Amino acid sequence: MEVGWCLLRSLVVNAGSSSLKFALFAADSCELLARGNVEWMGDSDQAQLRLSGQSLADVKRSVLARSHAEGVTVARQALVEHSFLQAGPASQIAVVGHRVVHGGTLFQSSVRVDERVRTAIAELATLAPLHNPPALAAIEAIESAFPGVTQVAVFDTAYFSNLPPSAVVYPLPYEWFSEWGIRRFGFHGISHAYCAQRAAELLHRDLSELRLVICHLGNGCSVSAICHGQPIATTMGFTPLDGLMMGSRPGSIDPGILLDVQRQHGLSIEQLDHALNHESGLLGVSGVSSDFRAVEAAARQGNERAQLALSIYADRVRSAIGAAAVTLGGVDAIVFTAGVGQNSASLRTAAVKGLDCLGLQLDGVRNETSDPDCDLALTESPGRILLIETREELMIAREARQWVAQHWAFLGGNKCSHIHQVLSLDSSPRSHT
Ligand code: AMP
């Protein structure tokens, strides 16, 4: 069955530990047609499906999904039910782009998923145990749902693959780096890359002129320093545990603590892993939740541990902004993005407190009343303070389209049969750099 060129879609899948986000774009223009997620609560087989799209009132319902593979099936059925996709042909999908958190040193750019890529993603799961396995499950589920469709993996680590050596190498025995590969990778690269581009657009400046500090503050948090379009520092490291305080991860801590709790309190590696990934951060300090909104609500009601957690969180963001600004030798703009950065005016106020010394002057009214994307700085502020809605799915759709265009020049075609034929060619160049 032939599908007209204008009906071709790009599907983006972002599989996390407890959710599967998806978005459907027009393949040629990357216009967003529909987006949604399947979100699990705890260990239940029940999940919440959300779907919104052009000419569609938001859909929200409980669904049965025992795995990420079943989540993909649920997402596909919902897209078909609401006529964003046809029930039949895989050929209506030009490309599927996946967010893959850890690409190690092997993947410095987006790649077509093949057997070798799958194996590498699986091997890297030890470094991103919450993220790489769900991505792999989603890739396999897409292959079953749309046999033969081209899948492109877009890596969170790729954006940071050219960090300078002084940012990459930890001050540990050098052989840990040279022989064991212990190094800074950096994460959230898709979001940092998008925000850097978007900041340049908002400022009507060329990215190559700008010194930017991007604060991605969500469940996971990271700050990066972008100098003239190139990331030169970032707070996340060898794993997504490093850097800022997060929902349930501590960020940077004295490594001596890890030695001490093993020696003095007998914690096993598994217990340490669990404590660092699931019991620390906002949750650990507040005892309330890993969810920023819940901690903010508890703090407002006078919960002192919640107040302490928020203070530590803001202090660490402020320090990271300062460090990034100094690394850049000055800052033209900082960006707040992701769930906390976009939504918590009080966190933004606390995070830039005292940063007038860097030329960053927040407009209190704009901060309380503005929606992304916009500038929150006082008019006279030398540096800008931007509020940007991160759009990782759009970035992945663009990357996937660009990858296909570069490798097969399919965007010049206007019939799906042609495109599908081209997409199915197996002699395609592979990029594993
Ligand atoms: P993300 O990982 O980008 O989805 O961000 C998730 C985090 O954003 C959670 O900690 C949420 O509590 C937080 N968040 C979402 N909406 C708000 C809001 N309106 N105010 C404060 N925090 C929020």
Side-chain angles (χ1 to χ4, degrees):
M1 178 174 177
E2 200 167 83
V3 179
W5 163 239
C6 60
L7 292 179
L8 269 181
R9 307 291 184 237
S10 299
L11 179 64
V12 169
V13 179
N14 179 353
S17 52
S18 60
S19 71
L20 184 127
K21 297 180 189 165
F22 56 95
L24 195 70
F25 296 85
D28 52 351
S29 62
C30 283
E31 179 192 4
L32 179 66
L33 304 174
R35 66 192 298 186
N37 63 58
V38 178
E39 196 162 357
W40 287 269
M41 296 295 163
D43 291 333
S44 164
D45 290 343
Q46 288 293 323
Q48 277 288 328
L49 165 74
R50 286 197 174 84
L51 179 68
S52 59
Q54 292 183 351
S55 325
L56 174 72
D58 288 2
V59 171
K60 189 175 167 188
R61 65 169 185 259
S62 285
V63 290
L64 181 68
R66 283 164 298 195
S67 62
H68 283 78
E70 292 190 7
V72 166
T73 306
V74 164
R76 183 192 183 180
Q77 283 167 352
L79 289 168
V80 169
E81 185 185 330
H82 295 281
S83 307
F84 293 108
L85 281 181
Q86 297 170 23
S91 60
Q92 67 195 299
I93 305 286
V95 61
V96 180
H98 291 269
R99 175 182 179 219
V100 181
V101 163
H102 215 312
T105 46
L106 200 52
F107 303 115
Q108 299 183 0
S109 59
S110 303
V111 291
R112 183 186 185 200
V113 176
D114 59 13
E115 205 42 51
R116 195 184 108 152
V117 172
R118 285 181 208 216
T119 304
I121 294 171
E123 284 171 3
L124 288 161
T126 50
L127 300 181
L130 302 182
H131 297 101
N132 274 26
L136 206 52
I139 286 169
E140 281 160 8
I142 290 287
E143 175 58 30
S144 303
F146 303 104
V149 75
T150 299
Q151 302 197 64
V152 172
V154 183
F155 297 93
D156 251 345
T157 42
Y159 185 57
F160 296 113
S161 57
N162 288 316
L163 286 173
S166 59
V168 165
V169 179
Y170 286 101
L172 289 164
Y174 190 77
E175 294 70 28
W176 290 25
F177 167 68
S178 59
E179 289 174 23
W180 295 349
I182 305 288
R183 48 165 286 155
R184 184 183 305 280
F185 290 105
F187 298 89
H188 293 144
I190 299 165
S191 175
H192 287 276
Y194 173 79
C195 288
Q197 285 178 10
R198 184 74 185 122
E201 277 171 27
L202 288 176
L203 297 170
H204 304 291
R205 302 262 308 267
D206 201 304
L207 184 55
S208 65
E209 302 171 351
L210 291 169
R211 296 162 303 173
L212 300 171
V213 176
I214 316 272
C215 308
H216 176 109
L217 308 175
N219 278 320
C221 303
S222 60
V223 164
S224 67
I226 314 294
C227 189
H228 307 143
Q230 280 300 317
I232 59 168
T234 190
T235 55
M236 276 186 167
F238 180 60
T239 70
L241 277 174
D242 201 359
L244 301 175
M245 177 178 180
M246 304 175 225
S248 61
R249 288 170 262 169
S252 305
I253 53 167
D254 176 354
I257 296 167
L258 305 180
L259 302 176
D260 188 77
V261 294
Q262 290 179 81
R263 286 198 189 111
Q264 303 298 329
H265 303 283
L267 263 63
S268 65
I269 300 293
E270 287 70 30
Q271 286 171 317
L272 263 184
D273 189 321
H274 192 75
L276 295 172
N277 275 298
H278 301 288
E279 297 175 338
S280 300
L282 288 170
L283 172 64
V285 177
S286 72
V288 173
S289 175
S290 61
D291 187 291
F292 197 88
R293 270 169 301 195
V295 179
E296 271 191 327
R300 275 195 297 273
Q301 285 163 8
N303 182 319
E304 289 183 7
R305 276 176 54 187
Q307 290 166 354
L308 175 63
L310 294 180
S311 300
I312 301 170
Y313 187 103
D315 281 354
R316 291 191 163 216
V317 175
R318 188 166 53 243
S319 303
I321 294 170
V326 170
T327 301
L328 289 166
V331 57
D332 297 303
I334 66 169
V335 174
F336 284 106
T337 194
V340 178
Q342 284 167 218
N343 293 299
S344 176
S346 59
L347 178 273
R348 292 192 296 266
T349 305
V352 299
K353 197 168 164 202
L355 295 188
D356 309 48
C357 59
L358 298 175
L360 298 168
Q361 299 170 0
L362 187 70
D363 182 320
V365 176
R366 282 186 199 166
N367 184 42
E368 293 288 341
T369 56
S370 306
D371 294 320
D373 296 345
C374 65
D375 187 352
L376 303 176
L378 287 171
T379 309
E380 63 271 23
S381 172
R384 313 318 303 165
I385 302 173
L386 303 178
L387 182 58
I388 292 180
E389 178 189 2
T390 191
R391 298 194 60 194
E392 287 161 298
E393 281 81 19
L394 173 62
M395 199 67 190
I396 294 167
R398 286 177 180 164
E399 272 284 311
R401 184 184 73 165
Q402 192 180 342
W403 192 92
V404 175
Q406 276 174 355
H407 289 80
W408 288 312
F410 85 104
L411 290 173
N414 57 12
K415 283 283 182 200
C416 181
S417 55
H418 164 64
I419 294 156
H420 194 221
Q421 189 189 353
V422 174
L423 289 179
S424 302
L425 283 176
D426 217 2
S427 56
S428 55
R430 305 277 157 90
S431 149
H432 295 286
T433 48

